[in-house]
Amino acid sequence: MRWWCTIYHIIFAEILNVIPNYLILQALREPETLTFLSLPDWDLLIRQARRANLLARICILLDERGLLEQVPSKPREHLEWSRVISEKHTQAVHWEITLIRKALAKAGVPVILLKGAAYVMAKFPPAKGRLFSDIDIIVPKGNLNAVEAALMLHGWAATHHDAYDQRYYRTWMHELPPMQHIKRMTVIDVHHAILPETAALHPDSAKLMAAAQLLDGYDDLKVFAPADMVLHSAVHLFHNEQLDQGLRDLVDIDGLLRHFSELPSFWHNLAVRAQELNLGRPLFYALRYAVRLLNTPIPSGMMEAAKSGRPNPLTLIFTDQLFERALMPTHNSCSDWLTGTARRILYVRATWLRMPPLLLARHLFHKAFISPKPV
Amino acid sequence: MKWQVISDQVINCCSWDDELVFYNKLSGDTHLLGSAAAQVLLELRKSPSNALSLIEALAPCQPSEMVMNEESYIYIEHLLNELNMLGLIEFS
Amino acid sequence: MNVSALSPSELKFRLRKTGIFLQTGSFITHLKTSISSVAEGLGLLYADYLLVEQQDGFADFHISLVHPRNLRRWFKPQVLFLFDGNPTFKPLPLDQAFPMLEWGLNWCISNHVNHCLIIHAAVVEKGGYAAILPAPPGSGKSTLCAALVNRGWRLLSDELALVRVSDGKLIPLPRPVSLKNESIEIIRSYEPNAIFSRKVADTIKGTVAHMKAPADSIARATEAVEVAWVIFPKYQAGAMACLESLPQSRAFMRVADNSFNYSLLGLNGFKTMTRLIDASLCYDFEYSKLDDAIEIFGSLKPQVPRR
């Protein structure tokens, strides 16, 4: 009975083209409208944003528009509380990168920063109001041992000592097991590719690294070129098993696209690069959901070009229903009866994309029955 | 070549009696400096200096036996390195 | 309207259905639970606290205490603390539900309130000046605090000193004083009129009970105050009550060690702490008899302004 309801709901919703209109989305799309919010609405928005790790971001969006004074004092206090945390995180990232540079100075390896660390050092918009958990870098595969050794010499230690986990990361995935500094307890993820060896898609990481650009004022720190940064962000989001940071990741993509749109030929480069690296599908999804959920301004020419990465119409109906639920914050007020199912389906999808079926079955079995569970 | 304070950092110091608490705004760490290190820092704040000049400048505050011997030189060098490690001073 | 305006059954009903909006200090907490020991504890110890009307609509924290959804519902039942629907701690035995509420409310403050430097300390006030009593667990801080507030000192907090970054003042958060093990009977004898929750045994801190905050302290919960003293108490059986001067630089580092968010506040944390220490006379304080402690505290004088 429920199966038929699902089909009916999906078709009905697609016909109505219903996009969720939660407060958090309103806040991100049109921050100016927040000055008209009632106190109960502020209460709910603060909770949604906190759950999505976007509270500090909203604080900054309002501050940049000179609207913070118009927020009632109680919600404004909450916004400022979260800004304190994000400022501390930013200070910590700067310092951590200073120490990583010191540690890797003699390894003779170009350090390319990824994701949050890259946004902070390059001063891109997604850095604003951001909370960080670890630092991600990418190095050539051949240099992995030297990098690991240099980090260990300077106080980072391997985590995930379980033999299965070690093999998972080193043999099948695209990174070393996360390394944690013994004193500072900070974590660094050292990647050698943006997708696992076992994945169906194989974007050429050497090309990405070759196109990486030095940061202003540094001779030892690089970030991906603009189009590559967007593509990496898209791949990261649409291949990620856990989507509880999904909206934040989409907000990153929105921020990058708005920022880079001012560069000449950016959209053209993005389309060409996606073709070149065979990343048309994740790019299609990134642009589609950025527009549908955040009203990101994207030229129609780009949307046309991105259609080459579009899945078949039936699949698209399903993925819309799945992502438009799973990308929402994990808060009761942003979910319906299908949300839990959507997250579970996308978890399996992401793991499927990472590994071939037999390996996937073995991995899921191991995770379910053998791996120690968190207490 | 002399030691000098990094003014951006030294601004975040507070002293009570002869000890000093310092906040490093790069690392976010807070450090307590004992009286010897605090005195060295306060001298350098007045003007850049090297180890020998510091020993001379601080001599009136030290017991007379400590003046101008190898031990006090090594000690001052050690303090200068500590202050450098903490990010308070630089050699230039 | 105060909590006392509701009958016990009305309070239980509201807690179960819509929850209540409880004002403590300057914070509003939306609290929902169907656990009767929590309702009873609230009715007894929070009788004098304000209930905010729902249509005002904004709560700083949304918490609930629930039975976990597993077999433990019926066998050795447990209680779970949810912050906006998410569990923040492991479940505890159902008997510990009221202490869990208190610990949970402290967690809400210490994890969010970043316009204040938050120190793990008791704060009491007399004559317009506050004493901060930081102390690691087991130093007798809460016992001393409970005694002081029953002898004319105002209670600002027994657990969390909130030092406002903007002006260095302490903001009150008077809530029930948490006592454990022998301290419970000591304070019961010291002040027979004090109101206590029932004892809860076998918690992680031993046997705990909570003492109702004096009505005057609750009534003055909006009055922020300047700090004058930082005093590290240490209960030592048989010791003479003794205040020993502590160098301010050492006090700074020890108070920072006892802070929840000193590091998080970055430069503002350093500046707030500097201002706090600057304004304070700092002491180590050893004592065994409460009356001696009261006398010593009574003779404290704020320092003459220096800077």
Side-chain angles (χ1 to χ4, degrees):
Chain A
M1 184 65 184
R2 246 162 123 84
W3 178 242
W4 287 108
C5 288
T6 310
I7 297 284
Y8 177 82
H9 178 95
I10 286 168
I11 294 171
F12 193 67
E14 178 63 1
I15 291 168
L16 287 182
N17 203 29
V18 171
I19 312 289
N21 193 30
Y22 304 119
L23 273 173
I24 179 80
L25 294 179
Q26 179 192 331
L28 294 165
R29 288 176 195 140
E30 296 164 304
E32 328 67 55
T33 60
L34 295 182
T35 51
F36 302 114
L37 278 194
S38 66
L39 275 179
D41 278 345
W42 269 114
D43 180 300
L44 187 56
L45 173 60
I46 301 263
R47 291 154 66 197
Q48 291 178 352
R50 184 173 278 135
R51 189 60 59 80
N53 270 339
L54 286 169
L55 193 52
R57 181 121 180 112
I58 290 176
C59 179
I60 289 173
L61 283 175
L62 289 167
D63 201 11
E64 282 176 342
R65 288 158 177 73
L67 297 172
L68 210 46
E69 279 86 53
Q70 294 178 48
V71 178
S73 60
K74 274 229 162 259
R76 187 165 12 132
E77 216 167 48
H78 284 251
L79 293 169
E80 294 288 4
W81 292 347
S82 69
R83 181 163 30 192
V84 168
I85 305 177
S86 102
E87 281 174 2
K88 174 62 183 179
H89 279 224
T90 304
Q91 177 203 49
V93 166
H94 276 282
W95 182 241
E96 196 63 21
I97 290 175
T98 303
L99 296 172
I100 290 170
R101 285 170 65 207
K102 242 192 198 163
L104 297 181
K106 295 218 177 86
V109 175
V111 174
I112 302 173
L113 299 172
L114 297 175
K115 297 195 270 169
Y119 307 151
V120 160
M121 298 307 286
K123 301 192 174 60
F124 290 153
K128 297 182 199 169
R130 195 186 190 76
L131 300 178
F132 302 83
S133 48
D134 31 14
I135 304 229
D136 292 86
I137 67 172
I138 186 168
V139 300
K141 194 170 185 190
N143 294 119
L144 271 182
N145 287 341
V147 167
E148 191 176 11
L151 289 171
M152 290 180 88
L153 202 61
H154 286 84
W156 278 269
T159 60
H160 290 85
H161 299 287
D162 172 71
Y164 179 86
D165 285 339
Q166 285 283 321
R167 191 144 62 111
Y168 172 82
Y169 281 102
R170 290 180 195 274
T171 315
W172 301 324
M173 287 302 110
H174 52 302
E175 51 191 304
L176 291 175
M179 297 181 78
Q180 185 170 41
H181 195 271
I182 44 184
K183 270 210 236 152
R184 296 189 303 278
M185 307 308 281
T186 48
V187 175
I188 183 171
D189 287 328
V190 182
H191 302 254
H192 59 83
I194 66 168
L195 275 174
E197 313 262 276
T198 50
L201 285 181
H202 292 112
D204 187 343
S205 298
K207 277 192 180 163
L208 292 164
M209 287 190 257
Q213 301 169 345
L214 274 176
L215 285 172
D216 271 339
Y218 293 90
D219 59 2
D220 58 348
L221 274 186
K222 291 183 174 184
V223 296
F224 277 168
D228 293 348
M229 197 179 267
V230 170
L231 289 169
H232 177 227
S233 198
V235 160
H236 171 74
L237 173 54
F238 291 99
H239 285 236
N240 203 345
E241 288 137 336
Q242 299 292 355
L243 287 172
D244 50 343
Q245 296 289 292
L247 186 58
R248 199 283 309 268
D249 290 345
L250 194 67
V251 166
D252 285 348
I253 291 172
D254 167 272
L256 290 175
L257 291 173
R258 286 175 196 261
H259 181 75
F260 293 143
S261 65
E262 293 167 19
L263 295 172
S265 313
F266 167 71
W267 297 110
H268 169 78
N269 294 344
L270 183 61
V272 164
R273 196 62 156 167
Q275 283 285 84
E276 195 188 329
L277 297 174
N278 194 19
L279 294 175
R281 180 62 56 84
L283 178 64
F284 172 80
Y285 283 141
L287 299 182
R288 181 176 180 80
Y289 298 119
V291 168
R292 283 165 76 93
L293 297 174
L294 299 176
N295 290 352
T296 313
I298 298 178
S300 50
M302 180 70 235
M303 297 304 285
E304 268 309 302
K307 276 189 182 154
S308 58
R310 184 187 173 121
N312 72 61
L314 190 60
T315 304
L316 188 56
I317 290 174
F318 272 104
T319 50
D320 278 354
Q321 297 301 312
L322 296 175
F323 279 114
E324 284 170 8
R325 287 176 168 81
L327 289 174
M328 293 302 105
T330 55
H331 193 263
N332 274 344
S333 64
C334 303
S335 61
D336 64 20
W337 64 281
L338 284 173
T339 305
T341 310
R343 290 189 202 283
R344 280 187 287 274
I345 293 173
L346 288 174
Y347 177 90
V348 176
R349 169 189 173 272
T351 322
W352 177 280
L353 286 173
R354 280 174 182 265
M355 353 174 135
L358 210 54
L359 196 56
L360 168 65
R362 186 173 155 201
H363 176 69
L364 289 175
F365 180 88
H366 198 280
K367 280 267 156 238
F369 299 110
I370 301 177
S371 289
K373 298 280 175 290
V375 173
Chain B
M1 294 276 274
K2 286 185 174 176
W3 289 100
Q4 64 185 22
V5 293
I6 303 173
S7 51
D8 215 24
Q9 288 279 52
V10 154
I11 210 170
N12 300 320
C13 279
C14 197
S15 62
W16 291 280
D17 303 316
D18 55 358
E19 288 183 335
L20 195 144
V21 179
F22 152 62
Y23 174 77
N24 184 328
K25 70 176 203 197
L26 294 175
S27 68
D29 293 330
T30 302
H31 305 276
L32 173 67
L33 296 184
S35 61
Q39 279 172 14
V40 168
L41 187 68
L42 293 170
E43 270 306 312
L44 286 175
R45 217 166 165 177
K46 290 182 201 163
S47 64
S49 189
N50 58 31
L52 287 170
S53 318
L54 280 168
I55 295 174
E56 265 183 42
L58 294 172
C61 322
Q62 308 300 335
S64 51
E65 313 86 69
M66 259 200 73
V67 178
M68 275 314 186
N69 64 22
E70 201 181 311
E71 216 178 87
S72 50
Y73 184 84
I74 292 173
Y75 182 54
I76 291 281
E77 279 286 316
H78 165 74
L79 289 175
L80 289 165
N81 279 324
E82 287 266 309
L83 292 172
N84 181 231
M85 291 275 291
L86 291 177
L88 274 162
I89 64 176
E90 58 190 355
F91 199 59
S92 68
Chain C
M1 165 168 90
N2 282 356
V3 171
S4 56
L6 296 175
S7 71
S9 52
E10 272 175 322
L11 179 60
K12 263 194 193 145
F13 179 77
R14 276 214 202 181
L15 280 166
R16 204 173 62 238
K17 286 285 171 199
T18 55
I20 60 171
F21 286 76
L22 182 69
Q23 176 125 22
T24 52
S26 50
F27 305 104
I28 298 172
T29 303
H30 177 230
L31 168 57
K32 261 185 106 166
T33 185
S34 57
I35 297 172
S36 35
S37 63
V38 176
E40 280 149 24
L42 281 167
L44 183 65
L45 301 187
Y46 283 88
D48 301 340
Y49 291 73
L50 208 58
L51 281 181
V52 176
E53 283 313 310
Q54 204 150 336
Q55 50 264 31
D56 289 349
F58 187 93
D60 291 296
F61 311 113
H62 289 256
I63 65 178
S64 51
L65 287 139
V66 301
H67 300 280
R69 283 185 200 181
N70 53 29
L71 290 171
R72 298 298 290 270
R73 230 185 151 89
W74 295 282
F75 172 69
K76 286 202 190 162
Q78 292 178 315
V79 57
L80 197 56
F81 180 91
L82 300 180
F83 178 79
D84 198 17
N86 260 15
T88 35
F89 319 110
K90 288 196 273 210
L92 289 177
L94 184 60
D95 194 45
Q96 298 180 24
F98 185 77
M100 193 178 207
L101 169 67
E102 289 294 314
W103 297 330
L105 288 173
N106 289 341
W107 178 91
C108 290
I109 302 289
S110 64
N111 274 271
H112 294 94
V113 177
N114 292 325
H115 71 291
C116 295
L117 172 64
I118 308 175
I119 305 164
H120 183 210
V123 190
V124 294
E125 176 263 321
K126 204 174 207 183
Y129 292 102
I132 295 179
L133 314 178
S139 50
K141 140 184 84 70
S142 291
T143 318
L144 180 57
C145 174
L148 286 164
V149 305
N150 280 307
R151 292 291 183 269
W153 287 76
R154 174 165 66 115
L155 174 71
L156 275 83
S157 179
D158 78 316
E159 269 299 301
L160 302 170
L162 301 174
V163 187
R164 205 158 45 193
V165 167
S166 59
D167 62 3
K169 285 190 172 172
L170 286 155
I171 67 175
L173 183 56
R175 281 198 8 250
V177 177
S178 164
L179 292 164
K180 45 191 202 271
N181 304 320
E182 306 81 25
S183 309
I184 303 170
E185 288 314 316
I186 289 172
I187 297 295
R188 257 211 242 267
S189 332
Y190 194 73
E191 184 47 65
N193 291 330
I195 296 171
F196 278 84
S197 67
R198 92 182 145 76
K199 287 195 220 184
V200 175
D202 300 322
T203 75
I204 203 167
K205 302 184 181 194
T207 299
V208 305
H210 287 83
M211 182 191 85
K212 184 168 185 250
D216 178 65
S217 306
I218 300 167
R220 294 169 64 190
T222 51
E223 290 175 33
V225 75
E226 306 273 355
V227 69
W229 310 285
V230 173
I231 302 175
F232 291 83
K234 185 153 178 57
Y235 173 79
Q236 189 66 41
M240 288 275 292
C242 175
L243 263 184
E244 202 177 303
S245 243
L246 181 56
Q248 280 163 302
S249 50
R250 304 290 164 133
F252 185 115
M253 299 307 281
R254 281 170 66 182
V255 177
D257 264 344
N258 276 285
S259 298
F260 288 98
N261 66 353
Y262 169 77
S263 209
L264 181 67
L265 295 187
L267 184 58
N268 274 339
F270 175 77
K271 287 182 172 167
T272 308
M273 188 69 85
T274 299
R275 184 182 195 155
L276 181 86
I277 297 294
D278 245 2
S280 305
L281 294 168
C282 305
Y283 302 103
D284 274 309
F285 178 58
E286 209 174 65
Y287 76 102
S288 56
K289 295 208 187 102
L290 286 174
D291 280 334
D292 293 346
I294 302 297
E295 201 182 313
I296 298 248
F297 269 70
S299 64
L300 287 171
K301 298 259 180 302
Q303 68 174 317
V304 174
R306 282 172 61 198
R307 288 180 194 261

